[in-house]
Amino acid sequence: MKQVRLIIVGFGTVGQGLAELLLTQRAVLQDQHALDIRLVGVANARHGFIYREDGLNIATVLTLAKERKPLTEHPDVQHWGTVLEGIQAADYDVMAEATLTNLRDAEPGLSYIRAALSKKAHVVTANKGPMALAAYELLTLAQQHGVQLRFEATVMAGTPVISTAREGMSGSRIQTMRGILNGTTNYILSAMEAGRDYAEVLTEAQAKGYAEADPTADVEGYDVMAKVLILAATVFGQPLQPAQVARTGITGVTRTHVLQAQQANQRIKLIAALNREGDHLKASIAPVALPLSDPLAHVEGTMNAITLHSDTLSAVTIIGPGAGRCETGQGLLADLIAVSRHQAK
Amino acid sequence: MKQVRLIIVGFGTVGQGLAELLLTQRAVLQDQHALDIRLVGVANARHGFIYREDGLNIATVLTLAKERKPLTEHPDVQHWGTVLEGIQAADYDVMAEATLTNLRDAEPGLSYIRAALSKKAHVVTANKGPMALAAYELLTLAQQHGVQLRFEATVMAGTPVISTAREGMSGSRIQTMRGILNGTTNYILSAMEAGRDYAEVLTEAQAKGYAEADPTADVEGYDVMAKVLILAATVFGQPLQPAQVARTGITGVTRTHVLQAQQANQRIKLIAALNREGDHLKASIAPVALPLSDPLAHVEGTMNAITLHSDTLSAVTIIGPGAGRCETGQGLLADLIAVSRHQAK
């Protein structure tokens, strides 16, 4: 049994989702992967960083988080007042980074990831900001320090897209990508096919928790843009700047557009696309009317999907959940297992 | 640059497909994976095993194979009269095994794989026989000798299914699998939707090279059964015997069945299914009328697809090519890269 000492930084929905999986998937981890993952540290901005070398009690930490109590109420812990101090001072093998996405400067996740990699800890992250804005810098830093940086959960949550494109299809050169990478907008567009208005469906999506109170990041395509930047840098090997992505959201899509598409046997989807054109990589996000022969046309509700065209495999399409507490935690867990599999000891 | 010495055993369509990729993907291998793969041996039943420590000329070997000339016409090679002698005597890091599938006793591939693993070489295989009938024995043998055995190309060619299920989704417990795992039968069923008869479409598929002169392995579901056995043993961890798979082919599907399904907004597909029921794993292969809401209903022509339900990811569907010279070679190549990535030196 291999022991791995884990810290979770950022302990909201996703960080807690991972902690829950450490409990529910313990048998899978031990039986299938001979892995004993010991949660030794947890941190959030409000309570700082708690650490216990022999392992924290996961159920206790989860209860404290749910009851919004200070993490320091966990017995027998060492405590640092800021997250960064803990990342730098504590002793661990892998950091799971799950702070909130910030597409302006990627902080605080960016500094956290730099700090962990610099002390030769592996990092798995669900945070789109650092990978969208600084993938090349961070992957280089990881390589320099002989550790791994994995980020499956940043695109389509735990649905394996990053590992499939970078490892499952390795040897193949990916030429184009087309995807439905945001569940909120796909839910809205799917619901509009019943003849309903954008505004009405958006209100419903907000009530169901599929859309935020401020839906801008989703409906204007910023969330998708972050994923496009991640795929450009890490699957196509060509980092892009946000300004290089032509971005149109779904706020201009009317009931009439949707119904006209239906009458033409098409469906409107918010399509993210990356295309190699000579040495350039062209990126766009826009509502597109897809023919029913396109597998992406049948992706309903909050599901996400991606089609990769490559020189050796024509088209490979992956359809799966793109968000969710457990689903995103699963992406971190798969990365954690991959990191441990390749770890020297 | 890491050097890997490769032998290819079985030099028909798939073995040659891999050799071609070693030429066309050389830049991808070097730039993205820092890998220099040197083909040191090639073997087939007719000409035995040729070996050259400094590397064979791939173009020369491919020309000899295409012109059906003895492989021994390659200059400066060592030669063993039988494939097995070469596997046992030659010096190499990885064997790519691409002999023909035999579902009776898995030979000669089974003996070849045993021999290579026993001398501590990694093995990548496209041959369904050994993995369908002896996956557990072979994976145990690989583990005992500290080497890897990979088999991506055995299910859906190079479309990443095995690696996605075993690595991309690791930590997740897969509960059910449903798939379209044979391109020939899917092509026939798709074509019958235009109102044509089974016999007529089969003749056309044979003319196009999608179906064999003796189509039994495809249309009676034996090819799919091999893949079901592989998935049962390696993704579900529960080896099954062929007799434990309830198998119905497509020979009983009539034009009337297909058109009746269409009128009910359904499509008939040959569906392979694996379901955990308590401690048991239930396996079946049969034509099923799918509702249009099922992503598998939209998989057309020779494409294949698989949907995996798991405890943490609900449904993940992968659609892609399931056969072909280059596509199957791609599966071997991805495995070869994976093996090299984890190799000690």
Side-chain angles (χ1 to χ4, degrees):
Chain A
M1 194 74 63
K2 189 189 279 184
Q3 283 223 341
V4 173
R5 295 166 303 165
L6 172 73
I7 63 170
I8 300 179
V9 165
F11 206 59
T13 305
V14 173
Q16 291 174 40
L18 174 60
E20 285 159 4
L21 290 179
L22 295 180
L23 294 177
T24 62
Q25 309 306 99
R26 184 172 293 275
V28 174
L29 291 166
Q30 294 190 345
D31 301 347
Q32 289 178 23
H33 305 284
L35 265 185
D36 178 22
I37 296 177
R38 199 200 302 169
L39 182 66
V40 295
V42 168
N44 65 23
R46 192 151 24 142
H47 306 126
F49 192 114
I50 62 164
Y51 180 79
R52 186 165 181 274
E53 196 182 348
D54 291 339
L56 298 164
N57 183 310
I58 296 175
T60 303
V61 180
L62 283 168
T63 303
L64 291 171
K66 264 159 217 164
E67 296 177 353
R68 308 187 74 78
K69 290 185 180 161
L71 295 173
T72 46
E73 288 189 15
H74 186 294
D76 296 328
V77 294
Q78 222 175 319
H79 177 248
W80 288 277
T82 71
V83 179
L84 199 56
E85 282 175 285
I87 292 172
Q88 288 166 334
D91 205 13
Y92 53 93
D93 304 306
V94 186
M95 174 174 88
E97 197 267 324
T99 62
L100 289 182
T101 294
N102 160 2
L103 289 179
R104 288 182 309 281
D105 62 8
E107 292 297 355
L110 180 56
S111 295
Y112 295 169
I113 295 175
R114 282 189 189 127
L117 294 175
S118 298
K119 61 173 287 186
K120 300 192 191 303
H122 303 290
V123 173
V124 300
T125 182
N127 181 353
K128 292 182 280 288
M131 295 311 297
L133 302 183
Y136 183 79
E137 176 210 320
L138 294 174
L139 287 167
T140 305
L141 189 63
Q143 200 168 26
Q144 284 166 352
H145 290 280
V147 290
Q148 291 186 63
L149 166 61
R150 296 184 66 102
F151 45 95
E152 184 62 76
T154 60
V155 180
M156 286 175 64
T159 301
V161 168
I162 301 289
S163 59
T164 301
R166 284 167 60 95
E167 293 160 20
M169 294 173 68
S170 64
S172 198
R173 184 174 160 87
I174 293 173
Q175 309 284 13
T176 71
M177 178 285 290
R178 290 166 62 253
I180 296 171
L181 299 179
N182 180 273
T184 305
T185 46
N186 202 53
Y187 175 85
I188 293 173
L189 292 174
S190 296
M192 286 174 73
E193 294 189 342
R196 296 164 64 196
D197 267 330
Y198 171 78
E200 178 195 341
V201 176
L202 174 61
T203 305
E204 180 193 271
Q206 286 168 324
K208 286 190 176 177
Y210 295 156
E212 307 281 336
D214 175 0
T216 311
D218 289 322
V219 301
E220 295 292 4
Y222 291 104
D223 171 71
V224 176
M225 186 183 72
K227 294 163 184 169
V228 166
L229 294 173
I230 294 170
L231 293 167
T234 66
V235 170
F236 289 78
Q238 294 193 237
L240 297 176
Q241 298 297 318
Q244 293 173 285
V245 182
R247 179 187 45 76
T248 308
I250 64 161
T251 52
V253 177
T254 64
R255 178 166 62 174
T256 310
H257 293 138
V258 170
L259 297 180
Q260 275 173 349
Q262 274 185 314
Q263 278 157 17
N265 274 316
Q266 295 178 327
R267 297 177 111 174
I268 295 182
K269 299 290 181 186
L270 183 63
I271 296 296
L274 284 167
N275 289 287
R276 289 192 202 273
E277 296 188 353
D279 286 346
H280 287 274
L281 184 62
K282 205 178 150 192
S284 66
I285 298 161
V288 176
L290 300 180
L292 297 184
S293 58
D294 189 324
L296 298 184
H298 305 283
V299 175
E300 304 273 5
T302 60
M303 291 294 265
N304 283 196
I306 197 165
T307 299
L308 301 165
H309 286 262
S310 78
D311 55 355
T312 61
L313 280 175
S314 63
V316 170
T317 298
I318 305 159
I319 306 168
R325 180 186 187 94
C326 168
E327 292 82 351
T328 310
Q330 164 61 33
L332 289 169
L333 185 64
D335 278 349
L336 187 50
I337 294 167
V339 161
S340 310
R341 192 185 303 134
H342 309 160
Q343 206 183 358
K345 60 163 175 52
Chain B
M1 195 73 63
K2 188 190 281 185
Q3 284 222 341
V4 174
R5 294 166 305 165
L6 171 73
I7 63 170
I8 301 179
V9 165
F11 206 59
T13 305
V14 173
Q16 291 174 41
L18 174 59
E20 285 159 5
L21 290 178
L22 295 179
L23 294 176
T24 61
Q25 309 306 100
R26 184 170 294 275
V28 174
L29 292 166
Q30 295 190 345
D31 301 349
Q32 290 180 22
H33 305 283
L35 264 187
D36 178 20
I37 296 176
R38 199 201 300 169
L39 182 65
V40 295
V42 168
N44 65 23
R46 194 155 19 146
H47 307 125
F49 191 116
I50 62 165
Y51 181 80
R52 186 167 181 274
E53 196 182 348
D54 291 341
L56 298 165
N57 183 308
I58 296 175
T60 304
V61 180
L62 283 167
T63 303
L64 290 173
K66 264 160 214 161
E67 297 178 352
R68 308 188 74 75
K69 290 185 181 162
L71 295 173
T72 46
E73 288 189 14
H74 187 294
D76 295 329
V77 294
Q78 224 175 317
H79 177 249
W80 289 277
T82 72
V83 179
L84 198 57
E85 281 175 284
I87 292 173
Q88 288 166 334
D91 206 14
Y92 53 92
D93 304 306
V94 186
M95 173 174 88
E97 197 267 324
T99 61
L100 290 182
T101 294
N102 160 2
L103 289 179
R104 287 183 308 283
D105 62 9
E107 293 296 355
L110 180 56
S111 294
Y112 295 169
I113 295 174
R114 282 190 189 125
L117 295 174
S118 298
K119 63 173 284 185
K120 299 193 191 302
H122 303 290
V123 173
V124 300
T125 182
N127 181 355
K128 293 183 280 287
M131 296 311 297
L133 302 183
Y136 183 79
E137 176 210 321
L138 294 174
L139 288 167
T140 305
L141 188 64
Q143 201 168 23
Q144 285 166 351
H145 289 281
V147 288
Q148 291 185 63
L149 166 61
R150 295 185 65 101
F151 45 95
E152 183 63 78
T154 60
V155 180
M156 285 176 65
T159 301
V161 169
I162 301 290
S163 59
T164 302
R166 284 168 60 95
E167 294 159 20
M169 294 173 67
S170 63
S172 198
R173 183 175 160 88
I174 293 173
Q175 308 284 12
T176 70
M177 178 284 290
R178 291 166 61 254
I180 296 171
L181 300 179
N182 179 274
T184 305
T185 46
N186 202 53
Y187 174 86
I188 292 172
L189 292 173
S190 296
M192 285 174 74
E193 293 189 343
R196 297 165 64 198
D197 268 328
Y198 171 77
E200 178 195 342
V201 176
L202 173 61
T203 305
E204 180 193 273
Q206 287 169 321
K208 285 191 176 176
Y210 295 157
E212 306 281 336
D214 176 1
T216 311
D218 289 321
V219 300
E220 295 291 5
Y222 291 103
D223 172 71
V224 175
M225 185 183 72
K227 294 163 183 168
V228 165
L229 294 174
I230 294 169
L231 293 166
T234 66
V235 170
F236 289 78
Q238 295 193 237
L240 296 177
Q241 298 298 315
Q244 292 174 286
V245 182
R247 178 186 48 74
T248 307
I250 64 161
T251 53
V253 178
T254 65
R255 179 166 62 175
T256 310
H257 293 138
V258 170
L259 298 181
Q260 275 173 349
Q262 274 185 312
Q263 279 158 15
N265 275 317
Q266 295 177 327
R267 296 176 110 174
I268 295 182
K269 297 289 182 188
L270 183 63
I271 295 296
L274 284 167
N275 288 288
R276 288 192 205 272
E277 295 187 354
D279 286 345
H280 286 274
L281 184 62
K282 205 177 149 193
S284 65
I285 299 161
V288 176
L290 300 180
L292 296 183
S293 58
D294 189 324
L296 297 185
H298 305 283
V299 176
E300 303 274 2
T302 60
M303 292 295 265
N304 283 195
I306 198 165
T307 298
L308 300 166
H309 287 261
S310 78
D311 55 354
T312 61
L313 279 175
S314 63
V316 171
T317 299
I318 306 158
I319 305 168
R325 180 185 188 96
C326 167
E327 292 82 351
T328 309
Q330 165 59 36
L332 289 169
L333 185 64
D335 278 348
L336 187 50
I337 294 167
V339 160
S340 311
R341 192 186 301 134
H342 310 161
Q343 206 184 358
K345 59 162 176 48

